[in-house]
Amino acid sequence: AQTVTQSQPEMSVQEAETVTLSCTYDTSESDYYLFWYKQPPSRQMILVIRQEAYKQQNATENRFSVNFQKAAKSFSLKISDSQLGDAAMYFCAYRSERGAGSYQLTFGKGTKLSVIP
Amino acid sequence: DTGVSQDPRHKITKRGQNVTFRCDPISEHNRLYWYRQTLGQGPEFLTYFQNEAQLEKSRLLSDRFSAERPKGSFSTLEIQRTEQGDSAMYLCASSLALDYQETQYFGPGTRLLVL
């Protein structure tokens, strides 16, 4: 079974600065997807960014980018120019490749990000 | 597109009572998922449907839990004889199977407290 580990329960960043959230995972599969989801307080979870394991290029979405190291099974999220609205729980998640038959997401325990004005 | 909706948003019940939650997915989505999230943890998969068929169940889904998706639209999750350990946030998500990236979109959740 796959596992996802987020070793930083809490992080803080100054507004306009850059922060990196860590995620490692364990799998024996070669094809899979990785995701970062954001869960603001009392609000629903939204997708921040996704990465297909077969793609060597790191995914980028505006101020959000990932550092995907397949051999090391590492998938970190970098948030640039942090904004107050970035304050939330961030979850790293893993999903098997579609053909593997299992579509469930396996989540880490999350990292609570605080943004200091 | 109104997103995934869940009802109720909060439920307080006494131990031993039955509760039922409802999830309405994004209208064209044919896959629907249920997850459970306890305090300080990430969501854990419970079960998923493709159209009206329940295709996968986690071992977390004890026989007190039952989920249905009649007609492949909304879904219900029922917990019978609730226990204090059932207290959690129950999240629903939906996705479109034809989307190769198949992003799961989450609802706001139903927070259950069992007294």
Side-chain angles (χ1 to χ4, degrees):
Chain A
Q2 294 80 23
T3 59
V4 176
T5 302
Q6 294 179 249
S7 58
Q8 306 153 317
E10 295 188 26
M11 293 279 287
S12 61
V13 62
Q14 291 283 145
E15 197 174 2
E17 296 296 309
T18 296
V19 64
T20 298
L21 308 184
S22 300
C23 173
T24 58
Y25 57 94
D26 187 26
T27 184
S28 58
E29 299 174 337
S30 58
D31 293 321
Y32 47 86
Y33 299 87
L34 296 164
F35 305 83
W36 280 98
Y37 277 88
K38 170 185 177 181
Q39 188 176 40
S42 302
R43 295 182 62 187
Q44 62 203 78
M45 193 149 11
I46 58 174
L47 178 68
V48 174
I49 198 166
R50 79 164 66 78
Q51 175 80 43
E52 291 90 341
Y54 64 86
K55 288 187 177 179
Q56 294 186 343
Q57 186 174 7
N58 289 324
T60 300
E61 288 286 344
N62 301 314
R63 297 183 296 107
F64 299 88
S65 61
V66 299
N67 183 4
F68 173 50
Q69 302 289 327
K70 191 172 183 179
K73 296 180 182 175
S74 171
F75 182 61
S76 60
L77 173 70
K78 185 171 83 171
I79 306 174
S80 304
D81 185 26
S82 297
Q83 301 176 358
L84 295 177
D86 295 333
M89 283 292 290
Y90 285 82
F91 292 98
C92 179
Y94 173 104
R95 199 196 82 210
S96 297
E97 191 273 334
R98 295 179 80 234
S102 177
Y103 302 97
Q104 62 176 275
L105 292 170
T106 300
F107 287 87
K109 291 188 176 182
T111 296
K112 182 178 180 181
L113 178 67
S114 301
V115 180
I116 303 166
Chain B
D1 180 1
T2 57
V4 179
S5 61
Q6 293 187 243
D7 184 70
R9 296 290 305 277
H10 303 273
K11 179 71 178 179
I12 300 174
T13 191
K14 292 182 179 179
R15 188 176 53 189
Q17 298 295 304
N18 298 343
V19 294
T20 300
F21 310 141
R22 176 179 171 127
C23 170
D24 286 273
I26 293 171
S27 58
E28 68 269 23
H29 284 185
N30 54 354
R31 289 208 173 113
L32 186 148
Y33 309 78
W34 285 99
Y35 292 84
R36 182 173 69 186
Q37 184 179 19
T38 53
L39 204 60
Q41 303 292 321
E44 296 174 293
F45 170 77
L46 293 178
T47 188
Y48 99 91
F49 293 82
Q50 178 156 327
N51 301 314
E52 64 274 11
Q54 188 174 19
L55 297 186
E56 190 172 354
K57 293 194 289 187
S58 162
R59 62 178 183 275
L60 292 176
L61 209 67
S62 76
D63 55 7
R64 295 185 299 105
F65 287 70
S66 62
E68 295 182 342
R69 193 183 182 198
K71 302 178 184 178
S73 56
F74 71 92
S75 175
T76 59
L77 178 68
E78 181 183 16
I79 309 174
Q80 296 182 327
R81 306 180 303 280
T82 53
E83 302 173 355
Q84 289 183 327
D86 296 332
S87 295
M89 175 78 87
Y90 290 84
L91 297 170
C92 176
S94 71
S95 68
L96 180 61
L98 296 179
D99 173 8
Y100 86 97
Q101 292 180 325
E102 198 169 343
T103 299
Q104 292 184 25
Y105 295 88
F106 284 81
T110 294
R111 185 171 294 282
L112 173 67
L113 178 59
V114 181
L115 301 176

